[in-house]
Each structure stands twice: as C-alpha cells, then as structure tokens.
Amino acid sequence: NAGVTQTPKFQVLKTGQSMTLQCAQDMNHEYMSWYRQDPGMGLRLIHYSVGAGITDQGEVPNGYNVSRSTTEDFPLRLLSAAPSQTSVYFCASSYSFRLNTEAFFGQGTRLTVV
Amino acid sequence: AQRVTQPEKLLSVFKGAPVELKCNYSYSGSPELFWYVQYSRQRLQLLLRHISRESIKGFTADLNKGETSFHLKKPFAQEEDSAMYYCALGGGETSGSRLTFGEGTQLTVNP
C-alpha cells in the first residue's frame, strides 16, 4: 500500500523561485493537511482540506497556496520562495475531518531556500 | 486557543531505565490526545491515543485532566525507542483531525 506519497524528497530553491510540492494519498481519505517541521517548533499546520474543492488556512499559511481538485491530490505551492521557508514539509491525511482518526504522514520534503 | 507544550527538547536515558516524556495541553473542551513518533529515516506515525487506553511497544500514557497532562511512560527503555516523540491534541467535536502538535522531544536511549 502506497499510503501518502510526497514528491520531491529534497529540493533546493533560489530566493524568489516558485515550486509545487506534490502530495497524493490512495486511501480515499477526506482530510488532508500540510505541516512544516522546524527545530524546536514542532509541526505547524500550513493549510488543510476537508474534501475536494474545500481548503482552509492553518497556523502559518503566508507564502503558500493549496488546492484540492481531487480527493487524492493536495499540492502545496510556494509562490516566491524565501529563506524563512527552509524547512521539512509533511503532508498528512485522515479518514475524517470531524472524527479523531489516525493521521497518516508522507515521508517529508526537505526544502532549502538559498 | 489550543496549545501543546513539551518542556524537554532532549531526553537521554540508559537502556533499562524508566522514561517519561512530558506533555501538557491547554484546551477548553474535552481533549483528544495522541502521541506520534518519528524514528530515524522513517515517517511520522501514530504511537498511541488516549481513548484507546492501550500499551504500545511498552509505552502508556494517561490523561490527567486536573493537571492537563498526557505524559508518555515506559518502565524499561530500549535502544530502539530512540526517536523524536510528538504529543498532539485533536481539534474537538467539529474538527477532530485538525491536530496541534507540541515542540517534540528527542529521546536517546544509551546502551
């Protein structure tokens, strides 16, 4: 079972460049989310989606866009990369948004902005 | 606003010693709490949730509403327990899967 798949695993960007981090899940999960992981700060929620066509902001949304055109895919776009966006990014999915169900995580994308 | 605090960034114990990873939370409703673990070069995964009241890999965690704590305990640590541990709080009745994570505790179990 593939679960949650993120691509790429590593990426280096120059300041001002844009890129899209891909996330796909094959579990027909309703809820998908993006987190960034920074030392000493844990995981912070960037954006989330409760279903196809529905997205909302999390704790740290500035500089990021998302869309959810299908149940399976939830890409994260960096519009104009900044060094402050250097981080490890995790995509996660859960069966339901309302219920406390287990979150399944991707393997992460390590992004460096120079 | 909900908040999760893990006061120890780093915790080091010897194999066979007891270990306790602390987690405190702030939440006005009835909390749903989890522990997630990230082993080296592996993805983050669920370790246990408080509603299950189960022991996973020898770990247990008890929800103490009076002290607003959900500490993770294991009586005899093993080297394979070395990992990053995150305490997480669910979003409540209308957004249960929206998780708030603590800062994380890096546990090292020395031989």
Side-chain angles (χ1 to χ4, degrees), chain B residues 24-55:
Chain B
N24 290 92
Y25 67 90
S26 174
Y27 185 62
S28 57
S30 183
E32 297 283 353
L33 285 148
F34 306 82
W35 278 98
Y36 280 81
V37 61
Q38 186 176 27
Y39 300 103
S40 179
R41 284 187 283 278
Q42 293 187 27
R43 61 186 70 196
L44 201 64
Q45 59 187 285
L46 178 67
L47 179 62
L48 55 80
R49 66 186 83 187
H50 93 272
I51 58 173
S52 300
R53 301 185 66 81
E54 57 193 345
S55 173

Side-chain angles (χ1 to χ4, degrees), chain A:
Chain A
N1 293 332
V4 179
T5 302
Q6 284 182 241
T7 55
K9 289 184 179 177
F10 302 95
Q11 183 71 50
V12 178
L13 287 179
K14 293 182 179 178
T15 298
Q17 286 186 315
S18 62
M19 80 159 294
T20 299
L21 279 63
Q22 302 291 345
C23 176
Q25 52 92 7
D26 62 358
M27 298 173 282
N28 199 32
H29 281 175
E30 170 185 89
Y31 178 64
M32 295 186 74
S33 55
W34 277 101
Y35 290 88
R36 58 177 290 172
Q37 181 188 44
D38 300 293
M41 304 187 76
L43 278 76
R44 292 180 292 167
L45 183 64
I46 305 172
H47 284 284
Y48 65 95
S49 169
V50 301
I54 306 170
T55 65
D56 205 347
Q57 296 181 351
E59 182 185 353
V60 288
N62 292 342
Y64 308 95
N65 272 356
V66 292
S67 60
R68 183 104 178 261
S69 57
T70 67
T71 299
E72 294 78 21
D73 300 299
F74 189 46
L76 177 73
R77 297 184 189 83
L78 279 70
L79 308 173
S80 177
S84 60
Q85 294 179 305
T86 293
S87 186
V88 181
Y89 292 84
F90 288 98
C91 178
S93 74
S94 301
Y95 173 73
S96 165
F97 177 60
R98 289 190 304 108
L99 304 174
N100 269 303
T101 59
E102 179 178 355
F104 292 84
F105 285 82
Q107 71 270 42
T109 296
R110 185 174 295 274
L111 175 68
T112 302
V113 182
V114 298

Side-chain angles (χ1 to χ4, degrees), chain B residues 3-80:
Chain B
R3 182 179 173 87
V4 177
T5 303
Q6 293 178 248
E8 303 138 331
K9 287 188 172 59
L10 302 171
L11 186 61
S12 182
V13 301
F14 285 103
K15 177 182 175 181
V19 62
E20 181 180 51
L21 289 80
K22 292 185 168 53
C23 171
N24 290 92
Y25 67 90
S26 174
Y27 185 62
S28 57
S30 183
E32 297 283 353
L33 285 148
F34 306 82
W35 278 98
Y36 280 81
V37 61
Q38 186 176 27
Y39 300 103
S40 179
R41 284 187 283 278
Q42 293 187 27
R43 61 186 70 196
L44 201 64
Q45 59 187 285
L46 178 67
L47 179 62
L48 55 80
R49 66 186 83 187
H50 93 272
I51 58 173
S52 300
R53 301 185 66 81
E54 57 193 345
S55 173
I56 303 293
K57 298 184 178 182
F59 284 98
T60 59
D62 291 319
L63 176 62
N64 186 323
K65 291 187 179 180
E67 295 183 358
T68 60
S69 68
F70 187 56
H71 303 328
L72 183 68
K73 300 177 184 179
K74 185 169 183 177
F76 306 103
Q78 302 299 315
E79 290 180 66
E80 55 264 31

Side-chain angles (χ1 to χ4, degrees), chain B residues 86-104:
Chain B
Y86 289 99
C87 183
L89 174 64
E93 291 182 354
T94 58
S95 57
S97 284
R98 177 174 169 161
L99 297 173
T100 298
F101 285 87
E103 304 90 338

